């Protein structure tokens, strides 16, 4: 079923493409511009949406990020105040003296001195709920505003953050619930612990570790006091993703997931809609502490700005559409009017009227098309004239071929030879020469066909030479060098016979002694080479030029070699199709090189008598 649906969709798509291709050019241009218009409207809509969002989201996003920065500032203020307060503790003389002495000689007096100092200090801080000091020998000095917390570990070196705080060499670290070293108190919430090493002020050697606990409630109260936005929901997480502040979730949005996703996507804010109410959700990382804070506040559209942007966008789209429509009509007329003139001119060509297009145009594509068309018309007219002349020449050569096929003196001489043989009683020779004569004319006439096989052409030459052999007896000998594969290819009839006749009458006979004729047919590099060579008188270069140019034929009022060469040129369209090599006293060598066309791909025949 799915395959049938794909075939159906492909067919519909093909029909639509075909209909589009069948449209006139002007209709295509309008269609293309309508597509451009749709794209333009789409782009305008996207731009409108983005501009509207930028204007509408700008103020509310600023408020949202101001809220986040306020929370950041509030938490930094609380942590900063506690950090400054911790400096007072670690530099307290009583605490320094007690810790210094307990390193060498622990006594209850030093313990009491440190406890009193810590108890006095804890009351001076509005942020810290408890102070805990651990010396390096396992003693603890604490003061709390509530119930005292007990320690889970036996020695402070067992704390999970011990190595980290020791590397700080006096700087503080922040740990959620002091890293879990205290036993929990059921009615109190979580807290943030500021932890730092207490160094000897004189030697800078570690004396102990200070732990200041800041309740989450203190952080939350500080943040909401500064933000003063009852509609905002706030989520504050430390660097280990422990939740420090989590407002009542009335919107239903998962701020925790938003923070986790933000860490991957680096997305600073987003819009969220719930129960027809839109919210702005924002995120910020606090650089000083590495904490993360996110907020969600109701988002209300700025209707006036949105209406203004909508009006401006509508006007832009309307003006753009109008310009595109006018432009499509103008461009359509600019292109289609010249094309219509070309179409009218081509209708004249269908009737055989080759007229140039008269069109005002510059050097643009239309102008170049006009010039190219007019040049084409000129070339066609020249080609027609040349074809007419070639047809005239072809008909003339065909007539000459027919005349050459029935030469009176050739027949007279042959009949004289037959008469002499008959009187001498050589009946077998009479039979042979009559059979050769019959085969010669039967093959050369070929029922009016212009193309025959090379094998048949060689039979014509063979029969011709048999007849001449009876006349001239030992005056010449013949050598055949034929590739059997070549015999099945087609060639113009009576091509070899004129060259063989020329070799016999003008090459060998004037020598007054015996000569030889070589006839070869070879397959060479996708072409066929036909070779007629003799060892006769030979010719000068001037004689060869006259022979191939037709000058000799015109002077002697004969057809001969030139007519044969012209027939080959016309049929095959090859200018240098015949090569004649000759010099006085060295004989003559003729090479005819034709394409090797297989018999089933016959060349078009030339029929005698066609106009």
């Amino acid at each position: 079923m799915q395959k049938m649906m794909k075939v159906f969709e492909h067919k519909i798509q093909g029909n639509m493409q075909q209909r589009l291709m069948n449209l006139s050019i002007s209709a295509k241009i309008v269609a293309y511009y309508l597509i451009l218009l749709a794209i333009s409207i789409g782009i305008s809509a996207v731009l409108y949406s983005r501009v509207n969002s930028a204007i509408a989201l700008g103020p509310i996003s600023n408020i949202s990020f101001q809220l986040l920065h306020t929370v950041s500032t509030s938490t930094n203020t609380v942590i900063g105040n506690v950090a400054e307060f911790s400096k007072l503790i670690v530099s307290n003389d009583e605490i320094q003296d007690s810790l210094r002495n307990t390193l060498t000689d622990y006594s209850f007096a030093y313990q009491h001195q440190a406890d009193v100092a810590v108890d006095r200090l804890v009351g001076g801080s509005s942020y810290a709920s408890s102070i805990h000091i651990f010396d390096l020998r396992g003693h603890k000095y604490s003061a709390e505003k509530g119930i005292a917390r007990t320690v889970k570990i036996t020695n402070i070196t067992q704390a999970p953050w011990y190595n980290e705080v020791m590397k700080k060499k006096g700087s503080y670290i922040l740990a959620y619930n002091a890293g879990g070293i205290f036993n929990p108190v059921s009615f109190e919430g979580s807290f943030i612990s500021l932890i730092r090493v207490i160094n000897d002020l004189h030697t800078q050697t570690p004396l102990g570790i200070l732990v200041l606990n800041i309740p989450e409630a203190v952080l939350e109260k500080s943040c909401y006091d500064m933000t003063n936005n009852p509609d905002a929901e706030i989520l504050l997480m430390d660097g280990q993703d422990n939740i420090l502040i989590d407002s009542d979730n009335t919107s239903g949005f998962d701020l925790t997931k938003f923070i986790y996703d933000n860490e991957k996507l680096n997305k600073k804010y987003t819009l969220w809609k719930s129960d027809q109410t839109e919210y702005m959700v924002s995120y910020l990382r606090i650089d000083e502490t590495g904490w993360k804070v996110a907020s969600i506040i109701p988002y209300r559209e700025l209707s006036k700005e949105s209406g203004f942007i909508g009006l401006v966008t509508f006007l832009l789209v309307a003006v753009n559409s109008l310009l595109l429509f006018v432009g499509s009509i103008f461009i359509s007329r600019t292109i289609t009017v010249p094309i219509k003139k070309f179409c009218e001119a081509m209708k004249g060509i269908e009737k055989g009227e080759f007229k140039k297009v008269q069109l005002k145009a510059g050097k643009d594509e239309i102008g170049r098309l006009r010039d190219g068309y007019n040049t084409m018309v000129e070339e066609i007219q020249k080609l027609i004239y040349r074809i007419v002349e070639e047809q005239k020449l072809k008909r003339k050569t065909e007539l000459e071929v027919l005349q050459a096929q029935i030469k009176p003196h050739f027949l007279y001489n042959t009949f004289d030879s037959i008469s002499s043989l008959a009187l001498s009683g050589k009946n077998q020779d009479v039979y042979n020469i009559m059979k050769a004569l019959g085969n010669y004319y039967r093959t050369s006439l070929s029922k009016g066909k212009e193309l025959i096989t090379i094998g048949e052409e060689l039979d014509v030459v063979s029969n011709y030479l048999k007849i001449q052999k009876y006349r001239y007896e030992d005056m010449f000998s013949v050598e055949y060098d034929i590739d059997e594969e070549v015999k099945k290819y087609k060639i113009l009839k009576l091509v070899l016979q004129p060259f063989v006749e020329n070799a016999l009458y003008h090459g060998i006979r004037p020598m007054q002694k015996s000569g030889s004729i070589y006839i070869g047919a070879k397959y060479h590099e996708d072409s066929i080479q036909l070779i007629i060579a003799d060892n006769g008188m030979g010719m000068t270069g001037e004689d060869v030029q006259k022979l191939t140019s037709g000058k000799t034929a015109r002077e002697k009022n004969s057809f001969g070699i030139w007519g044969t060469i012209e027939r080959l040129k016309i049929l095959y369209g090859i200018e240098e199709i015949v090569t004649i090599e000759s010099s006085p006293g060295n004989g003559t060598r003729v090479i005819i090189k034709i394409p090797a066309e297989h018999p089933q791909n016959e060349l078009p025949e030339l029929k005698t008598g066609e106009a």
Side-chain angles (χ1 to χ4, degrees), residues 316-336:
L316 286 174
V317 171
V319 172
N320 197 19
S321 301
L322 180 61
L323 290 176
L324 283 173
F325 181 72
V326 173
S328 66
I329 295 176
F330 174 75
I331 294 177
S332 174
R333 288 183 59 81
T334 302
I335 297 174
T336 55

Side-chain angles (χ1 to χ4, degrees), residues 33-89:
Y33 269 93
L34 287 176
I35 294 172
L36 290 176
L37 179 61
I39 295 173
S40 175
I41 292 174
I43 293 174
S44 299
V46 172
L47 290 176
Y48 165 74
S49 176
R50 292 191 176 183
V51 171
N52 178 58
S53 298
I55 291 179
L57 290 177
I60 198 70
S61 62
N62 288 337
I63 294 173
S64 179
F65 280 108
Q66 285 175 8
L67 176 66
L68 296 180
H69 283 291
T70 300
V71 173
S72 173
T73 302
S74 175
T75 56
N76 287 337
T77 300
V78 172
I79 299 300
N81 289 336
V82 174
E84 291 298 321
F85 179 64
S86 70
K87 292 178 182 179
L88 295 175
I89 298 174

